[in-house]
Amino acid sequence: MVKLQAGNCTLKPSQRRQLLAWLKRAVHLGERVGDFLLTITVRRCGRMFEMHAIVHDAAGDFRCRQRGQTWRDVCRAIVRDLAVRLHAQRLAFASI
């Protein structure tokens, strides 16, 4: 399950759809591990965007944080980081 919380900035519906489309691989990996919950918080800090992702699944919990100049750069970075870390958790969980 994915929860998207817009902190002090509003996201357009197209931005929400785009982020969820980019998250498909990460969500699929998390669901394969089991007991998956992803919470993403988006905030503006001056001219910069900041995203926090909190992941809970059967293999454990972890957090990711990215900051950047544009919304698109921050989303790409956080999605890439989530996919890599969930893939590592999936491999570790499968070997147990």
Side-chain angles (χ1 to χ4, degrees), residues 18-89:
Q18 192 172 31
L19 179 59
L20 291 176
W22 286 345
L23 282 171
K24 278 185 184 178
R25 176 175 167 76
V27 170
H28 181 69
L29 286 169
E31 287 175 350
R32 290 190 62 152
V33 173
D35 193 25
F36 179 70
L37 177 63
L38 170 65
T39 306
I40 296 178
T41 306
V42 183
R43 295 184 45 101
R44 291 247 357 205
C45 302
R47 290 184 175 178
M48 299 183 73
F49 285 90
E50 182 175 27
M51 291 183 94
H52 291 276
I54 302 168
V55 176
H56 169 77
D57 59 9
D61 299 339
F62 66 89
R63 296 172 182 256
C64 298
R65 184 183 136 226
Q66 294 290 334
R67 295 180 80 175
Q69 292 291 328
T70 64
W71 180 84
R72 177 181 293 255
D73 293 339
V74 175
C75 286
R76 281 184 181 164
I78 200 112
V79 166
R80 189 178 320 117
D81 194 24
L82 283 172
V84 167
R85 292 184 70 176
L86 282 168
H87 182 71
Q89 272 195 337

